[in-house]
């Protein structure tokens, strides 16, 4: 398997797994847990599972001072991103937060261009535009309500720190397995969350008192944490920061599918077109380096002409 195919597959499944965050988090909120407790159990359980995997594989836990410094930076970035995102769920719907979160590919592309002189190709611009357009269709708002300023700022902070996390993973040149890297990031994050729990009553760690709570905590630990972060590291190392970030557009699709199949929400033409646009963006960013930009421009102009002719758009 080529590195590009491997990275693409990992990027796709990383995004799908990360999109399962609301499934565990919102249910734990309903059980009465605060934000810090939810993330603490997410990280703590994931760290324990990864430690057992490394022990079973007889992998070394040894790291150098330089590696510890980089891993500490990654741990701080991941904690801040998680606290900000999960905190935003208290100020707006998780679907809206997931929609706003997707500004991070734009942030990745801009920072890579400014700080690392990475060329922003027309294909990258088209991919991001398609993804943003598709995600805007997945947002089912329209009741005229004003978005919470605090909620928006929290999501923007989460997007920025996650974008920096992806770039640091790509540019740090850490020589270790994705499992080991993720283990230390989450271990450092768990320690930081434990320290943060002593800051006040609202941040103290609350116990998991029911089997249901443990199940939701394990869902958070396994899917949007272990699976997502490990696969994301592999994807970044094989296809780069920006393509991996663009493939993250599959995250809100996961949220939509959860709403349809788990909570019985309706599937509409609007959602269908949004999903098609996002899938087109992912396919484009994956195949873009091997096919000419003019080809895609022609194809998407034809698609737009057909849609305009066949469908009457409704807001």
């Amino acid at each position: 398997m080529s590195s590009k195919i491997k990275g693409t597959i990992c990027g796709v499944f990383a995004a799908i797994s990360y999109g399962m965050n609301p499934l565990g988090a919102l249910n734990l909120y309903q059980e009465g847990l605060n934000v810090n407790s939810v993330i603490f159990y997410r990280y703590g359980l994931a760290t324990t599972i990864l430690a057992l995997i490394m022990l079973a594989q007889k992998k070394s836990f040894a790291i150098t001072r330089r590696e510890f410094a980089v891993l500490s930076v990654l741990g701080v970035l991941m904690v801040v991103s998680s606290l900000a995102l999960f905190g935003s769920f208290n100020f707006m719907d998780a679907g809206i937060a997931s929609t706003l979160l997707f500004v991070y590919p734009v942030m990745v592309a801009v920072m890579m261009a400014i700080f690392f002189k990475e060329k922003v190709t027309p294909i990258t611009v088209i991919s991001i535009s398609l993804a943003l357009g598709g995600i805007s269709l997945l947002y089912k708002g329209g009741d005229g309500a004003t978005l919470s300023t605090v909620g928006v700022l929290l999501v923007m902070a989460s997007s920025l720190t996650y974008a920096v996390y992806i770039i640091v993973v790509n540019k740090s040149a850490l020589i270790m397995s994705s499992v080991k890297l993720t283990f230390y990031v989450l271990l450092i994050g768990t320690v930081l969350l434990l320290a943060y729990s002593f800051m006040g009553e609202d941040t103290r760690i609350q116990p998991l008192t029911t089997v249901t709570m443990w199940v939701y905590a394990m869902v958070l630990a396994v899917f949007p944490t272990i699976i997502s972060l490990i696969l994301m590291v592999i994807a970044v190392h094989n296809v780069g920061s920006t393509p991996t970030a663009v493939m993250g557009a599959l995250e809100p699709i996961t949220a939509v599918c959860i709403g349809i199949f788990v909570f019985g929400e309706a599937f509409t033409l609007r959602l269908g077109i949004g999903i098609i646009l996002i899938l087109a963006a992912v396919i484009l960013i994956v195949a873009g380096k091997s096919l000419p930009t003019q080809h895609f421009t022609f194809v998407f102009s034809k698609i737009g002409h057909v849609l305009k002719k066949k469908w009457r758009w409704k807001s």
Side-chain angles (χ1 to χ4, degrees):
M1 182 184 297
S2 70
S3 60
K4 183 176 180 180
I5 294 176
K6 179 180 179 181
T8 299
I9 292 173
C10 289
V12 167
F13 282 99
I16 292 173
S17 300
Y18 196 76
M20 296 180 69
N21 262 318
L23 182 61
L26 295 181
N27 283 299
L28 287 174
Y29 287 167
Q30 291 179 357
E31 296 286 341
L33 263 64
N34 58 39
V35 173
N36 195 47
S37 296
V38 171
I39 303 175
F40 173 79
Y41 288 115
R42 173 193 175 192
Y43 281 29
L45 290 172
T47 301
T48 303
I49 294 171
L50 289 173
L52 293 175
I53 292 174
M54 291 179 66
L55 287 172
Q57 295 177 342
K58 297 181 179 180
K59 300 293 185 180
S60 171
F61 287 84
I63 57 174
T64 65
R65 290 183 180 180
R66 176 188 170 279
E67 289 173 336
F68 177 75
V70 177
L71 291 168
S72 296
V73 171
L74 290 173
V76 171
L77 290 170
M78 184 54 63
V79 165
V80 173
S81 182
S82 296
L83 285 173
L85 178 61
F86 281 44
S88 72
F89 293 166
N90 291 320
F91 296 92
M92 62 176 65
D93 291 342
I96 300 176
S98 298
T99 300
L100 295 176
L101 182 68
F102 194 73
V103 299
Y104 77 82
V106 179
M107 295 178 178
V108 170
V110 170
M111 285 189 286
M112 289 296 292
I114 293 175
F115 298 109
F116 300 98
K117 310 302 179 184
E118 181 180 275
K119 183 179 180 182
V120 180
T121 66
I123 286 176
T124 299
V125 174
I126 294 171
S127 298
I128 292 175
S129 299
L130 283 171
L132 290 175
I135 290 172
S136 69
L137 292 175
L138 297 188
Y139 167 46
K140 296 172 290 182
D143 56 3
T146 302
L147 292 179
S148 164
T149 301
V150 175
V152 171
L153 290 175
L154 286 172
V155 176
M156 292 302 102
S158 179
S159 298
L160 178 60
T161 47
Y162 190 57
V164 176
Y165 178 91
I166 291 175
I167 293 173
V168 173
V169 168
N170 187 24
K171 295 299 181 179
S172 62
L174 286 172
I175 308 300
M176 63 177 64
S177 69
S178 57
V179 172
K180 186 174 181 179
L181 185 152
T182 305
F183 165 75
Y184 273 106
V185 168
L186 295 176
L187 176 61
I188 292 168
T190 302
V191 173
L192 292 173
L193 291 167
L194 183 60
Y196 181 57
S197 69
F198 293 101
M199 297 296 290
E201 185 70 20
D202 292 338
T203 61
R204 68 181 179 85
I205 304 299
Q206 300 166 289
L208 298 176
T209 56
T210 67
V211 174
T212 301
M213 293 169 74
W214 279 100
V215 170
Y216 287 133
M218 285 298 296
V219 168
L220 274 176
V222 173
F223 293 100
T225 310
I226 293 176
I227 294 177
S228 178
L229 293 180
I230 289 177
L231 294 182
M232 188 273 289
V233 171
I234 297 173
V236 167
H237 286 159
N238 283 275
V239 297
S241 301
T242 303
T244 300
V246 174
M247 283 185 277
L250 294 172
E251 294 166 16
I253 289 184
T254 304
V256 168
C257 291
I258 289 174
I260 294 171
F261 295 109
V262 177
F263 298 109
E265 296 179 358
F267 181 80
T268 64
L269 174 62
R270 180 188 181 93
L271 292 179
I273 295 174
I275 290 173
I276 290 173
L277 288 176
I278 291 173
L279 292 177
V282 173
I283 293 171
L284 179 57
I285 199 67
V286 171
K289 292 183 179 180
S290 59
L291 293 172
T293 305
Q294 294 85 346
H295 176 75
F296 284 106
T297 303
F298 173 78
V299 170
F300 286 115
S301 66
K302 290 298 182 182
I303 292 175
H305 178 73
V306 172
L307 289 175
K308 185 177 180 180
K309 185 177 180 180
K310 293 291 186 181
W311 302 101
R312 290 183 302 172
W313 289 74
K314 295 182 180 180
S315 60

